[in-house]
């Protein structure tokens, strides 16, 4: 009899615990709905109420997807909440269209699975076909890249298959991404494709300097994109701007380590769209291999990159502060057909670890035109040796200059 009573008591405790957990989920949704936290007036969908466990082991992909579908179909503004703790998950797709504005609040750490065979598509988290998104919360996306970087062969193979990006935004319009850390992505940290009116700010993007193809943010076929107040340190470009991108503003970004902020590479594939309206301002580069760069492939199909400005830039021990490279990524002898025009460099100052601080190597077939250099002041900072004079190198570039020019401008 005593055994039966103890069993009934334990069963009652389990039932009570389950009931309290369910009630707490409902209460949390009701409370946040009244308070309007991180998305005023939103219903809240906590992933733990759909089976997610913050134990650092369980693959929570099904719980995440169930919570997303419920939020997306809820009929109004909704918030998907990932609370504090470490949640492991494989590839996740948060797809729309949804019935209201969506907020994803990441308070904890989301950790990627490391078995790349699980990733049938080259991204870990994918936000798709959404109009109205806020991704925020102060949490971390940990891509676990160190476990798989050894499989990246892109240095030896220009047609390599990239490892999964951590967060991809595809056809996401009217979006804001802020107060998120991206750590050790397998490939790109963030990938913005076919998006309109996309704002990213106050991000922290981190990977070692030797991590391959870990661009902080790659933007392509998108317009009205703003990136600001963000720290990026990676093994590749801090920000790269691909084909079909227009009206991008990048400001108050600290880059380093990494390969700088690049327009390109452009011209690798057929039928690429033009790039225009790119503004990079008030950015700082610390010990990067490049500063501000435009890069196109030789032997490329025709396209254009125009109306690009780099202004109020600080270079601190940067190997190649100002670069146009139209022979990027290949040993082909045919010149690039990407026409570069109306590029403005203004108030760029600091130190170069290379004696050639300004390198403008343009195409012999379509020379660069409308290149302006105004108030350039770069000092040579030799590493392990005596300081030497600093210089510029220019090829097939039509340049006008104004204000201070150190190094002396090319004689074109």
């Amino acid at each position: 009899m005593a055994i039966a009573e103890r069993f009934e008591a334990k069963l009652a405790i389990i039932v009570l615990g389950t009931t309290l957990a369910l009630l707490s989920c409902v209460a949390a949704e009701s409370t946040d709905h009244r308070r309007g936290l991180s998305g005023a007036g939103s219903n809240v969908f906590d992933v733990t109420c759909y089976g997610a466990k913050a134990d650092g082991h369980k693959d929570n992909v099904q719980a995440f997807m169930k919570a997303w579908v419920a939020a997306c179909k809820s009929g109004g503004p909704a918030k998907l909440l990932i609370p504090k703790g470490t949640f492991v998950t494989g590839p996740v797709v948060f797809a729309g269209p949804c019935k209201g504005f969506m907020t994803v609040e990441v308070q904890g750490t989301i950790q990627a699975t490391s078995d790349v065979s699980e990733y049938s598509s080259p991204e870990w988290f994918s936000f798709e076909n959404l109009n109205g998104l806020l991704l925020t919360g102060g949490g971390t996306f940990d891509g676990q890249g160190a476990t798989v970087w050894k499989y990246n062969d892109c240095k030896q193979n220009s047609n390599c298959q990239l490892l999964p990006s951590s967060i991809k935004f595809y056809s996401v319009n009217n979006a804001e991404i802020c107060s998120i850390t991206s750590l050790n992505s397998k490939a790109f940290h963030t990938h913005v494709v076919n998006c309109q009116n996309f704002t990213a700010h106050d991000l922290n993007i981190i990977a070692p300097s030797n991590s391959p193809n870990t661009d902080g943010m790659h933007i392509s076929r998108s317009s009205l994109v703003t990136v600001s107040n963000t720290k990026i340190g990676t093994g590749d470009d801090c920000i790269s701007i691909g084909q079909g991108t227009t009206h991008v503003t990048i400001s108050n970004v600290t880059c380093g380590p990494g390969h700088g902020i690049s327009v390109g590479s452009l011209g690798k594939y057929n039928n690429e769209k033009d790039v225009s309206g790119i503004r990079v301002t008030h950015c700082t580069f610390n010990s990067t291999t490049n500063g501000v760069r435009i890069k196109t492939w030789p032997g490329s199909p025709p396209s254009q990159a125009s109306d690009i400005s780099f202004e109020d830039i600080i270079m601190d021990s940067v190997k190649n502060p100002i670069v146009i490279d139209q022979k990027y990524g290949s040993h082909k002898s045919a010149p690039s057909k990407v026409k570069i025009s109306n590029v403005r460099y203004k108030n760029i100052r600091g130190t170069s670890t290379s004696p050639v601080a300004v390198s403008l190597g343009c195409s012999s077939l379509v020379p660069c035109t409308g290149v302006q250099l105004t108030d350039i002041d770069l000092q040579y900072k030799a590493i392990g040796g005596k300081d030497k004079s600093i210089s510029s190198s220019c090829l097939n570039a039509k340049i006008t200059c104004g204000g201070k020019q150190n190094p002396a401008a090319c004689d074109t």
Side-chain angles (χ1 to χ4, degrees):
M1 192 70 179
I3 294 175
E5 289 176 353
R6 286 198 297 270
F7 175 77
E8 289 176 0
K10 287 182 179 179
L11 182 61
I13 291 171
I14 292 170
V15 171
L16 178 61
T18 303
T19 303
L20 289 174
L22 291 171
L23 288 173
S24 69
C25 286
V26 173
E29 293 183 13
S30 175
T31 300
D32 271 3
H33 176 70
R34 291 195 304 270
R35 293 176 180 173
L37 300 177
S38 300
S42 298
N43 288 309
V44 179
F45 297 81
D46 186 330
V47 294
T48 62
C49 297
Y50 293 83
K53 302 291 185 184
D55 59 6
H57 299 288
K58 176 185 175 180
D59 188 341
N60 291 289
V61 62
Q62 293 300 324
F64 279 29
M65 295 289 286
K66 287 178 182 177
W68 172 264
V69 170
C72 182
K73 293 182 176 180
S74 64
K79 177 166 72 174
L80 180 77
L81 175 63
I82 300 171
K84 292 183 179 180
T86 299
F87 296 86
V88 174
T89 182
V92 172
V93 179
F94 286 165
C98 294
K99 294 184 177 180
F101 187 95
M102 296 297 296
T103 296
V104 176
E105 183 171 313
V106 181
Q107 297 177 353
T109 295
I110 309 173
Q111 196 173 75
T113 54
S114 56
D115 184 355
V116 292
S117 67
E118 296 179 11
Y119 296 80
S120 57
S121 186
E123 54 271 332
W124 173 31
F125 265 77
S126 183
F127 294 86
E128 302 178 0
N129 301 312
L130 296 168
N131 185 13
L133 172 69
L134 171 63
L135 173 60
T136 189
T140 297
F141 288 80
D142 181 357
Q144 297 275 79
T147 62
V148 298
W149 289 330
K150 61 187 175 184
Y151 302 124
N152 183 306
D153 66 345
C154 292
K155 276 193 174 180
Q156 297 78 32
N157 177 14
S158 62
N159 295 311
C160 63
Q161 179 64 48
L162 282 177
L163 294 167
S165 301
S166 277
I167 312 172
K168 182 177 181 179
F169 303 93
Y170 180 80
S171 292
V172 177
N173 300 329
N174 303 308
E176 180 181 359
I177 316 303
C178 63
S179 303
I180 289 292
T181 293
S182 178
L183 175 67
N184 292 339
S185 57
K186 292 178 173 66
F188 298 162
H189 285 264
T190 57
H191 193 183
V192 180
V193 186
N194 201 38
C195 296
Q196 314 290 321
N197 194 24
F198 186 98
T199 299
H201 62 92
D202 296 287
L203 304 180
N204 193 20
I205 297 175
I206 307 165
S209 61
N210 62 349
S211 57
N213 299 108
T214 52
D215 294 47
M217 179 176 289
H218 182 70
I219 307 166
S220 62
R221 303 200 310 271
S222 298
S223 67
L224 299 173
V225 177
T226 300
V227 184
S228 63
N229 302 319
T230 288
K231 295 181 179 179
I232 306 174
T234 73
D236 210 303
D237 292 326
C238 290
I239 299 174
S240 54
I241 298 168
Q243 61 105 356
T245 301
T246 62
H247 302 104
V248 174
T249 300
I250 299 167
S251 63
N252 295 299
V253 169
T254 299
C255 171
H259 296 182
I261 294 178
S262 296
V263 177
S265 60
L266 305 175
K268 185 176 182 179
Y269 304 105
N270 290 322
N271 303 314
E272 290 191 3
K273 303 297 183 183
D274 296 345
V275 172
S276 66
I278 311 300
R279 305 281 179 267
V280 180
T281 181
H282 293 97
C283 293
T284 299
F285 297 81
N286 295 318
S287 301
T288 53
T289 55
N290 304 289
V292 291
R293 176 169 60 159
I294 303 173
K295 51 182 178 177
T296 77
W297 287 71
S300 68
S303 64
Q304 296 188 56
S306 63
D307 187 19
I308 301 166
S309 67
F310 304 100
E311 187 170 348
D312 297 321
I313 305 294
I314 296 174
M315 306 285 183
D316 183 2
S317 301
V318 174
K319 186 175 181 181
N320 305 297
I322 298 174
V323 182
I324 295 178
D325 179 6
Q326 294 210 256
K327 295 183 178 181
Y328 173 81
S330 173
H331 298 294
K332 289 182 180 179
S333 58
S336 175
K337 294 180 182 177
V338 179
K339 171 67 175 177
I340 296 174
S341 62
N342 300 325
V343 182
R344 299 173 296 283
Y345 303 92
K346 184 177 181 181
N347 192 25
I348 298 178
R349 59 199 186 278
T351 55
S352 169
T353 60
S354 165
V356 180
V358 178
S359 177
L360 307 178
C362 298
S363 169
S364 59
L365 185 63
V366 284
C368 298
T369 57
V371 178
Q372 301 175 22
L373 295 168
T374 306
D375 294 325
I376 308 299
D377 188 8
L378 297 167
Q379 308 293 325
Y380 179 46
K381 182 180 180 181
I383 296 177
K386 216 173 184 184
D387 287 1
K388 299 177 183 178
S389 60
I390 197 165
S391 65
S392 300
S393 173
C394 304
L395 182 67
N396 305 314
K398 303 296 183 183
I399 301 169
T400 59
C401 302
K404 186 169 186 175
Q405 295 293 318
N406 185 46
C410 299
D411 184 7
T412 59

